[in-house]
Coordinates of all heavy atoms in Angstrom, one line a residue:
F414 N -4.4 -14.5 -3.5 CA -3.3 -13.5 -3.4 C -3.9 -12.1 -3.0 O -3.3 -11.4 -2.2 CB -2.6 -13.4 -4.8 CG -1.5 -12.4 -4.9 CD1 -0.3 -12.6 -4.4 CD2 -1.8 -11.1 -5.4 CE1 0.7 -11.7 -4.4 CE2 -0.8 -10.2 -5.5 CZ 0.5 -10.4 -5.0
I415 N -5.0 -11.7 -3.6 CA -5.6 -10.4 -3.3 C -6.1 -10.4 -1.9 O -6.0 -9.4 -1.2 CB -6.7 -10.1 -4.4 CG1 -6.0 -9.8 -5.7 CG2 -7.5 -8.9 -4.0 CD1 -7.0 -9.6 -6.9
L416 N -6.8 -11.5 -1.5 CA -7.3 -11.5 -0.1 C -6.1 -11.4 0.9 O -6.2 -10.7 1.9 CB -8.0 -12.8 0.1 CG -9.4 -12.9 -0.5 CD1 -10.0 -14.3 -0.3 CD2 -10.3 -11.9 0.1
G417 N -5.0 -12.0 0.5 CA -3.8 -11.8 1.4 C -3.3 -10.4 1.4 O -2.9 -9.9 2.5
S418 N -3.4 -9.7 0.3 CA -2.9 -8.3 0.3 C -3.9 -7.4 1.1 O -3.5 -6.5 1.8 CB -2.9 -7.7 -1.1 OG -4.2 -7.5 -1.7
E419 N -5.2 -7.8 1.1 CA -6.2 -7.0 1.9 C -5.9 -7.2 3.4 O -6.1 -6.3 4.2 CB -7.6 -7.4 1.5 CG -8.0 -6.9 0.1 CD -9.4 -7.4 -0.2 OE1 -9.9 -8.3 0.5 OE2 -9.9 -6.9 -1.2
A420 N -5.5 -8.5 3.7 CA -5.3 -8.7 5.2 C -4.0 -7.9 5.6 O -4.0 -7.4 6.7 CB -5.0 -10.2 5.3
K421 N -3.0 -7.9 4.8 CA -1.8 -7.1 5.1 C -2.2 -5.6 5.3 O -1.7 -4.9 6.2 CB -0.8 -7.2 4.0 CG -0.1 -8.6 4.0 CD 0.9 -8.6 2.9 CE 1.5 -10.0 2.7 NZ 2.5 -10.1 1.6
A422 N -3.0 -5.1 4.4 CA -3.4 -3.7 4.5 C -4.2 -3.4 5.7 O -4.0 -2.4 6.4 CB -4.2 -3.3 3.2
S423 N -5.1 -4.3 6.1 CA -5.9 -4.1 7.3 C -5.1 -4.2 8.5 O -5.3 -3.4 9.5 CB -7.0 -5.2 7.4 OG -7.9 -5.2 6.3
A424 N -4.1 -5.1 8.5 CA -3.2 -5.2 9.7 C -2.4 -3.9 9.8 O -2.1 -3.4 10.9 CB -2.2 -6.4 9.5
A425 N -1.9 -3.3 8.7 CA -1.1 -2.1 8.8 C -2.0 -0.9 9.3 O -1.5 -0.1 10.1 CB -0.6 -1.8 7.4
I426 N -3.2 -0.8 8.8 CA -4.1 0.2 9.2 C -4.4 0.1 10.7 O -4.4 1.1 11.5 CB -5.4 0.2 8.4 CG1 -5.1 0.6 7.0 CG2 -6.5 1.1 9.0 CD1 -6.3 0.4 6.1
A427 N -4.7 -1.1 11.2 CA -4.9 -1.4 12.6 C -3.7 -1.0 13.4 O -3.9 -0.4 14.5 CB -5.3 -2.8 12.8
R428 N -2.5 -1.3 13.0 CA -1.3 -1.0 13.7 C -1.1 0.5 13.8 O -0.7 1.1 14.8 CB -0.1 -1.7 13.1 CG 1.2 -1.4 13.8 CD 2.3 -2.2 13.1 NE 3.6 -1.8 13.7 CZ 4.1 -2.3 14.9 NH1 3.3 -3.2 15.5 NH2 5.2 -2.0 15.4
A429 N -1.5 1.2 12.7 CA -1.3 2.6 12.6 C -2.2 3.3 13.6 O -1.9 4.4 14.2 CB -1.6 3.2 11.2
K430 N -3.4 2.8 13.8 CA -4.4 3.3 14.8 C -3.9 3.1 16.2 O -4.1 4.0 17.1 CB -5.8 2.7 14.6 CG -6.4 3.1 13.3 CD -7.8 2.5 13.1 CE -8.5 2.9 11.9 NZ -9.8 2.3 11.7
V431 N -3.3 1.9 16.5 CA -2.9 1.6 17.9 C -1.6 2.3 18.2 O -1.4 2.8 19.3 CB -2.8 0.1 18.0 CG1 -2.2 -0.2 19.4 CG2 -4.1 -0.6 17.8
F432 N -0.7 2.4 17.2 CA 0.6 3.0 17.4 C 0.8 4.1 16.3 O 1.5 3.9 15.3 CB 1.8 1.9 17.3 CG 1.6 0.8 18.2 CD1 1.2 -0.4 17.8 CD2 1.9 0.9 19.6 CE1 1.0 -1.5 18.6 CE2 1.8 -0.1 20.4 CZ 1.3 -1.4 20.0
P433 N 0.2 5.2 16.5 CA 0.3 6.3 15.5 C 1.7 6.7 15.1 O 2.0 7.0 14.0 CB -0.5 7.4 16.1 CG -1.4 6.8 17.1 CD -0.6 5.6 17.7
D434 N 2.6 6.7 16.2 CA 4.0 7.1 15.9 C 4.7 6.2 15.0 O 5.8 6.5 14.5 CB 4.7 7.3 17.2 CG 4.1 8.5 18.0 OD1 3.5 9.4 17.4 OD2 4.3 8.5 19.3
D435 N 4.2 4.9 15.0 CA 4.9 3.9 14.2 C 4.2 3.6 12.9 O 4.5 2.7 12.2 CB 4.9 2.5 15.0 CG 5.9 1.5 14.5 OD1 6.9 2.0 14.0 OD2 5.6 0.3 14.6
A436 N 3.3 4.5 12.5 CA 2.5 4.3 11.3 C 3.4 4.2 10.0 O 3.2 3.3 9.2 CB 1.4 5.4 11.1
S437 N 4.4 5.1 9.9 CA 5.2 5.1 8.7 C 6.0 3.8 8.6 O 6.2 3.3 7.5 CB 6.1 6.3 8.7 OG 7.0 6.2 9.9
V438 N 6.4 3.3 9.8 CA 7.2 2.0 9.7 C 6.3 0.9 9.2 O 6.7 0.1 8.5 CB 7.7 1.7 11.1 CG1 8.4 0.4 11.1 CG2 8.7 2.8 11.6
S439 N 5.0 0.9 9.7 CA 4.1 -0.1 9.3 C 3.8 -0.1 7.8 O 3.9 -1.1 7.1 CB 2.7 0.0 10.0 OG 2.9 -0.1 11.4
Y440 N 3.6 1.1 7.3 CA 3.4 1.2 5.8 C 4.6 0.8 5.0 O 4.6 0.2 4.0 CB 2.9 2.6 5.5 CG 1.5 2.9 5.7 CD1 1.1 3.4 7.0 CD2 0.5 2.5 4.8 CE1 -0.2 3.6 7.2 CE2 -0.8 2.7 5.1 CZ -1.2 3.3 6.3 OH -2.5 3.5 6.6
D441 N 5.8 1.2 5.6 CA 7.0 0.8 4.9 C 7.2 -0.7 4.9 O 7.6 -1.3 3.9 CB 8.2 1.5 5.6 CG 9.5 1.2 4.9 OD1 9.7 1.6 3.8 OD2 10.4 0.5 5.5
R442 N 6.9 -1.3 6.0 CA 7.1 -2.8 6.0 C 6.1 -3.4 5.1 O 6.3 -4.4 4.5 CB 6.8 -3.3 7.5 CG 8.0 -2.9 8.4 CD 7.6 -3.3 9.8 NE 8.7 -3.0 10.8 CZ 8.6 -3.1 12.1 NH1 7.5 -3.5 12.6 NH2 9.7 -2.8 12.8
L443 N 4.9 -2.8 5.1 CA 3.8 -3.4 4.2 C 4.2 -3.4 2.8 O 4.1 -4.3 2.0 CB 2.5 -2.6 4.4 CG 1.3 -3.0 3.5 CD1 1.0 -4.5 3.8 CD2 0.2 -2.1 3.8
E444 N 4.8 -2.2 2.3 CA 5.2 -2.1 0.9 C 6.3 -3.0 0.6 O 6.5 -3.5 -0.6 CB 5.5 -0.7 0.6 CG 5.7 -0.4 -0.8 CD 5.6 1.1 -1.2 OE1 4.9 1.8 -0.5 OE2 6.2 1.5 -2.2

Side-chain angles (χ1 to χ4, degrees):
F414 177 81
I415 291 174
L416 286 174
S418 75
E419 290 178 346
K421 290 178 182 178
S423 297
I426 293 172
R428 181 176 176 81
K430 290 179 179 179
V431 176
F432 303 104
D434 295 337
D435 196 30
S437 61
V438 177
S439 299
Y440 280 94
D441 183 63
R442 288 174 179 171
L443 177 60
E444 190 161 332

